[in-house]
Amino acid sequence: MCWWSPSGFCLCSRLSEGCRVYRYTLIPTSVILGLGGSPLWSAKCTYLTISGNAQAARDGKRGSDVINQYFGIFFFIFQSSAVWGNLMSSLIFGQDLTIVSIPEEQLQSCGAADCGLNISVNGTTTRPAQTLVWTLVGCYIGVGVLAMIIVAVFLDNIDSEQSSRFRGNREPFCQTFLATFRLLKDWRLVTLIPLTMYSGFEQSFLSGEYTKNYVTCALGIHYVGYVMMCFGASNSLCSFLFGRLARYTGRAALFLFAALANASCIIALLFWKPHPDDFGIFFVFPALWGMADAIWQTQTNALYGILFPREKEAAFANYRMWESLGFVIAFAYSTFICLEYKLYIVLAVLLLSAITYPMVEYHEHKNPTLPIEEGSYLTHKTETIERDESNIVSLTAM
């Protein structure tokens, strides 16, 4: 039996023939999405970092402040897609949804109190009408085509002179690919791996475990879309806010705030017994989680751009690689480990990040990394002074 959630995901309670059919389409589609998404995300981060440094040089501002602001604006728009996407799918599939009351015995198995590996899906029927499925697919395709047109028509290209100034000469693809792994020699990047992987762990927990073991189990999957809308709205607004606030508070304070928010939610989820009577609480957790995720996304991306100004492509490729590895690990053990242990794992990775990240922040505070335009200017001035001194010495000798 295969049920459909408002977000368009196929939820299978057991390995039936219908689910096998969707596996043959979902797995290749996921592979294609990963192959296309990785370079797209790396290019986006590089573009924003180069643009932020260029704008900062023109305005006489610190590059890190403008980069933080640019990433905040981007994630404000990007995370808002969770609102519009879930609203679209919820309204379309909601036309063919039969809500079934959830028995009391199932409510006893919701949350971390039970293992959470055998939760039956209630509150929906079988696959929605084919017309509704094609309606949703058509809407998504239309939005995707519109996005490509907007990028092709309105996005400015970074000309070759600006690219060479901020990134150096273009290297062959194989050299760029190998640079991703060569950058692992930098201890700062290695130290940031737990923080980067935590981004994948925390996102996968909310989208996979929270929606399944709390929302779906106690309310029904017809509320998953609305809960994720709450997460997206909170994430979007906080991304814009924290992107501007970082220049006044600094990264470390925001990271500390996000860590405390996530840790508090994890501890509360360990003890909370979800019930339909606590309807408002189901939206409190995604709102707080979205607020924390806004910090993880904006500040971690900006941090990579600030720490590695000359290896932006390699740095952001590493960021996506380690974040994706966090996703892979979290989803890999999802069907084998009880929910309580999953919460402990997420908390452990968060604590490890809280130990390793301050090392990088302390080193950056003591030895600030100059943006490329500042570094190039200082290098040029140093070379000029050394050349002039050399000429003076030569003239004196003569």
Side-chain angles (χ1 to χ4, degrees), residues 72 75-80 82-83 202-203 206 228-242 286-298:
F75 280 103
F76 166 72
I77 300 173
F78 171 74
Q79 296 295 352
S80 69
V83 177
E202 56 94 8
Q203 290 181 75
L206 185 82
M228 294 306 294
M229 283 173 56
C230 179
F231 168 79
S234 173
N235 203 327
S236 176
L237 294 175
C238 290
S239 293
F240 183 78
L241 173 64
F242 293 136
L288 293 175
W289 209 274
M291 178 183 65
D293 184 67
I295 297 176
W296 301 126
Q297 298 300 316
T298 58

Side-chain angles (χ1 to χ4, degrees), residues 60-77:
K61 299 180 179 179
R62 289 200 311 170
S64 59
D65 293 338
V66 180
I67 292 173
N68 279 322
Q69 181 178 343
Y70 276 21
F71 274 104
I73 295 173
F74 170 81
F75 280 103
F76 166 72
I77 300 173

Side-chain angles (χ1 to χ4, degrees), residues 17 44 67 71 107 120 130 166 169 182 188 202 214 247 256 267 269 280 305 315 327 333 338 349 353 367 379 383 389:
E17 185 62 32
K44 177 271 300 179
I67 292 173
F71 274 104
L107 294 176
S120 60
Q130 188 65 28
F166 289 102
N169 297 326
R182 285 200 300 267
R188 297 175 301 169
E202 56 94 8
Y214 292 89
R247 64 183 301 180
L256 175 61
I267 295 173
L269 288 172
F327 275 105
Y333 65 59
C338 294
V349 179
S353 303
N367 306 280
T379 302
E383 291 175 350
E389 290 178 348

Side-chain angles (χ1 to χ4, degrees), residues 20-41:
R20 292 194 186 97
V21 172
Y22 290 111
R23 277 190 174 185
Y24 293 126
T25 58
L26 289 177
I27 293 178
T29 303
S30 300
V31 172
I32 296 173
L33 179 63
L35 291 175
S38 297
L40 182 63
W41 275 95

Side-chain angles (χ1 to χ4, degrees), residues 65-119:
D65 293 338
V66 180
I67 292 173
N68 279 322
Q69 181 178 343
Y70 276 21
F71 274 104
I73 295 173
F74 170 81
F75 280 103
F76 166 72
I77 300 173
F78 171 74
Q79 296 295 352
S80 69
S81 64
V83 177
W84 316 121
N86 281 288
L87 179 62
M88 183 189 306
S89 59
S90 296
L91 292 177
I92 292 175
F93 283 149
Q95 303 175 38
D96 193 45
L97 194 65
T98 302
I99 300 177
V100 179
S101 59
I102 298 176
E104 190 66 28
E105 54 269 20
Q106 176 176 316
L107 294 176
Q108 299 300 319
S109 64
C110 298
D114 192 79
C115 192
L117 295 179
N118 297 303
I119 295 177

Side-chain angles (χ1 to χ4, degrees), residues 65-238:
D65 293 338
V66 180
I67 292 173
N68 279 322
Q69 181 178 343
Y70 276 21
F71 274 104
I73 295 173
F74 170 81
F75 280 103
F76 166 72
I77 300 173
F78 171 74
Q79 296 295 352
S80 69
S81 64
V83 177
W84 316 121
N86 281 288
L87 179 62
M88 183 189 306
S89 59
S90 296
L91 292 177
I92 292 175
F93 283 149
Q95 303 175 38
D96 193 45
L97 194 65
T98 302
I99 300 177
V100 179
S101 59
I102 298 176
E104 190 66 28
E105 54 269 20
Q106 176 176 316
L107 294 176
Q108 299 300 319
S109 64
C110 298
D114 192 79
C115 192
L117 295 179
N118 297 303
I119 295 177
S120 60
V121 181
N122 287 279
T124 183
T125 60
T126 57
R127 176 189 173 107
Q130 188 65 28
T131 55
L132 297 180
V133 175
W134 285 115
T135 300
L136 183 65
V137 172
C139 291
Y140 283 159
I141 292 176
V143 172
V145 172
L146 178 62
M148 291 188 290
I149 294 175
I150 291 176
V151 170
V153 175
F154 296 103
L155 185 65
D156 293 334
N157 288 324
I158 299 178
D159 55 40
S160 57
E161 179 181 353
Q162 190 176 17
S163 298
S164 62
R165 180 186 177 192
F166 289 102
R167 291 186 296 177
N169 297 326
R170 174 68 65 181
E171 295 181 342
F173 171 77
C174 59
Q175 295 296 326
T176 304
F177 177 78
L178 293 177
T180 302
F181 299 97
R182 285 200 300 267
L183 195 59
L184 290 172
K185 296 179 181 179
D186 192 321
W187 71 269
R188 297 175 301 169
L189 180 64
V190 176
T191 309
L192 286 176
I193 288 178
L195 175 65
T196 310
M197 291 184 64
Y198 176 74
S199 178
F201 275 95
E202 56 94 8
Q203 290 181 75
S204 62
F205 176 83
L206 185 82
S207 60
E209 307 302 335
Y210 181 78
T211 55
K212 172 189 173 185
N213 295 282
Y214 292 89
V215 181
T216 299
C217 182
L219 296 179
I221 65 170
H222 49 285
Y223 279 104
V224 170
Y226 298 107
V227 168
M228 294 306 294
M229 283 173 56
C230 179
F231 168 79
S234 173
N235 203 327
S236 176
L237 294 175
C238 290

